[in-house]
């Protein structure tokens, strides 16, 4: 399992480590906000398009080859910019990283499910989510230190070594899991399965959690600056959000496996905490920001392992890669849609109204989850 956790860390660290340092440390490549937006969108755009494709491929040929191929491709894409330090190769490297992550991220999720019995899915996905949260937390910090020490090329060099090392580790430690025989599936069959509440409910919760997490990381510092707070205080708020998400995930998974928590009640509680956290983010001053960050982090940390465990338990083993790829697509849409919604509302009114709009949507999801639970 440890190489799979390392793969989760790699995609998170690669995504946020570079994204957080592109704007301030690559003036030759990032010549405008439009160019910065394009570079940031390349990684997520590749994931939105390719994750379902690679998830389906993992079901067809096995998740392990797709995992290893994705990690090797991630190392090669990172090495492109190390060897050719030019703006054009930065675009190519970033696109290649996103495409590679689209391969090994859903494959790692499918292997987490395949290599653990159903009774341990909560704990397994909790640990996997914990290591991804660590990558999201350390990416901007360690990435900033590396860029300060040796420029953007040093960060890409570290990612090259990281991707190659995890690929070798996975090749040595992760057992071969052959693809399972499956009945022929038509497009209509796929549509029915993805429209089933057993898929839609946890995927929607995962998308809502990712939207709230992205909004918290991106907009809580803006609220802090508007309240006259310094970078230390706003950075502490973002760190608190990520730390709460990381700490809660393994505990939520363990509670699910031990029967102290069900997926429906846990998802409902997680959505409620997240909605309340977004509401607290509307309060003025440091207290509102810190309380909001803590509740958003705890809510998303509760949702993530339970959502993936619910998907794994309701999906035929031979279709796990496809389901995880589609669920990851839902998360990416939430990752992009949450900030867009908050930004649109904030531009028409204020940022507090943006937090409130997303909080209402998440709260409606919590209400639906409670009704389904009843």
């Amino acid at each position: 399992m440890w190489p799979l956790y390392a793969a989760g860390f790699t995609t998170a660290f690669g995504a946020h480590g570079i994204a957080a340092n592109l704007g301030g440390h690559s003036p030759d490549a990032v010549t405008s906000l439009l160019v910065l937006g394009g570079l940031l969108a390349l990684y997520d755009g590749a994931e939105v398009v390719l994750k379902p494709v690679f998830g389906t491929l993992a079901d067809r040929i096995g998740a392990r080859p797709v995992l290893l191929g994705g990690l090797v491709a991630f190392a090669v894409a990172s090495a492109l910019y190390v060897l050719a330090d030019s703006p054009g190769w930065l675009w190519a490297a970033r696109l290649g990283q996103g495409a590679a992550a689209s391969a090994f991220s859903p494959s790692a999720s499918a292997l987490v499910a395949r290599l653990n019995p159903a009774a341990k899915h909560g704990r397994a996905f909790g640990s996997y989510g914990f290591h991804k949260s660590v990558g999201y937390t350390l990416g901007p910090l360690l990435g900033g230190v590396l860029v300060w020490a040796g420029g953007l090329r040093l960060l890409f060099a570290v990612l090259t070594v990281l991707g190659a090392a995890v690929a070798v580790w996975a090749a040595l430690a992760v057992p071969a899991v052959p693809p399972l025989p499956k009945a022929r599936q038509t497009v209509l069959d796929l549509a029915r399965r993805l429209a089933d509440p057993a898929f839609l409910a946890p995927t929607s919760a995962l998308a809502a959690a990712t939207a709230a997490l992205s909004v918290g990381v991106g907009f809580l510092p803006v609220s802090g600056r508007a309240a006259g707070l310094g970078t230390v205080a706003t950075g502490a708020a973002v760190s608190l959000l990520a730390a709460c998400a990381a700490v809660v995930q393994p505990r939520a998974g363990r509670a699910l496996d031990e029967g102290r928590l069900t997926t429906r009640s846990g998802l409902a509680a997680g959505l409620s905490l997240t909605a309340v956290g977004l509401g607290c983010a509307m309060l003025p001053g440091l207290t509102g920001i810190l309380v909001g960050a803590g509740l958003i982090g705890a809510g998303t940390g509760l949702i993530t392992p339970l959502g993936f465990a619910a998907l794994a338990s309701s999906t035929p083993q031979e279709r796990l890669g496809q389901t995880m790829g589609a669920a990851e697509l839902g998360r990416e849409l939430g990752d992009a849609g949450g900030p867009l919604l908050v930004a649109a509302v904030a531009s028409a009114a204020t940022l507090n109204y943006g937090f409130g709009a997303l909080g209402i949507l998440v709260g409606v999801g919590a209400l639906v989850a409670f009704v389904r639970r009843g």
Side-chain angles (χ1 to χ4, degrees):
M1 293 301 298
W2 282 103
L4 302 181
Y5 299 155
F9 173 86
T10 300
T11 182
F13 182 80
H16 279 206
I18 295 176
N21 292 283
L22 277 174
H25 300 281
S26 52
D28 57 330
V30 180
T31 56
S32 68
L33 289 177
L34 183 61
V35 172
L36 176 60
L39 281 169
L40 293 176
L42 270 180
Y43 194 99
D44 292 329
E47 289 189 311
V48 167
V49 174
L50 295 176
K51 273 186 174 179
V53 176
F54 283 117
T56 302
L57 181 64
D59 290 333
R60 183 170 299 172
I61 68 173
R64 185 174 181 270
V66 180
L67 172 78
L68 298 179
L71 288 167
V72 171
F74 186 86
V76 172
S78 301
L80 284 177
Y81 186 68
V82 178
L83 298 176
D85 182 10
S86 69
W89 284 109
L90 176 61
W91 285 81
R94 196 64 178 155
L95 179 61
Q97 286 180 330
S102 303
F104 70 78
S105 182
S107 301
S109 299
L111 284 167
V112 169
R114 287 288 303 275
L115 294 176
N116 288 277
K120 293 184 178 179
H121 277 171
R123 185 180 286 105
F125 279 108
S127 298
Y128 180 72
F130 168 81
H131 287 86
K132 287 193 77 169
S133 294
V134 171
Y136 286 132
T137 305
L138 295 183
L141 175 63
L142 293 183
V145 172
L146 291 171
V147 171
W148 170 80
L152 202 60
R153 292 178 72 184
L154 178 59
L155 176 55
F156 273 88
V158 170
L159 291 173
T160 301
V161 175
L162 178 62
V166 176
V168 172
W169 190 9
L172 295 174
V174 176
V177 181
L180 297 173
K182 49 186 176 291
R184 183 178 177 82
Q185 176 182 253
T186 66
V187 174
L188 184 59
D189 294 331
L190 174 62
R192 285 179 182 147
R193 190 159 60 82
L194 297 185
D196 192 291
F199 173 83
L200 281 180
T203 302
S204 299
L206 288 169
T210 309
L213 189 64
S214 182
V215 165
V217 171
F219 288 98
L220 283 177
V222 177
S223 294
R225 286 195 296 270
L229 302 175
T231 56
V232 174
T234 55
V238 174
S239 298
L240 176 65
L241 189 156
C244 288
V247 169
V248 168
Q249 289 191 61
R251 288 165 172 78
R254 194 177 304 117
L256 176 66
D257 291 341
E258 294 172 355
R260 295 183 284 112
L261 191 66
T262 65
T263 53
R264 286 190 177 185
S265 61
L267 291 177
L271 289 168
S272 300
L273 280 175
T274 305
V276 173
L278 289 166
C280 290
M282 300 171 65
L283 300 176
L286 180 61
T287 301
I289 293 173
L290 291 179
V291 174
L295 290 177
I296 292 172
T300 57
L302 188 57
I303 291 168
T304 303
L306 301 185
F308 278 115
L311 289 169
S313 65
S314 64
T315 302
Q317 291 279 304
E318 66 272 15
R319 303 286 183 189
L320 273 173
Q322 187 180 70
T323 296
M324 293 304 175
E328 291 280 2
L329 170 60
R331 295 186 77 196
E332 295 297 335
L333 293 176
D335 195 14
L340 285 175
L341 171 66
V342 172
V345 175
S347 63
T350 64
L351 182 55
N352 278 348
Y353 284 100
F355 285 132
L358 182 58
I360 289 172
L361 285 179
V362 176
V364 169
L367 181 61
V368 172
F370 275 115
V371 170
R372 290 186 70 242
R373 177 174 176 267

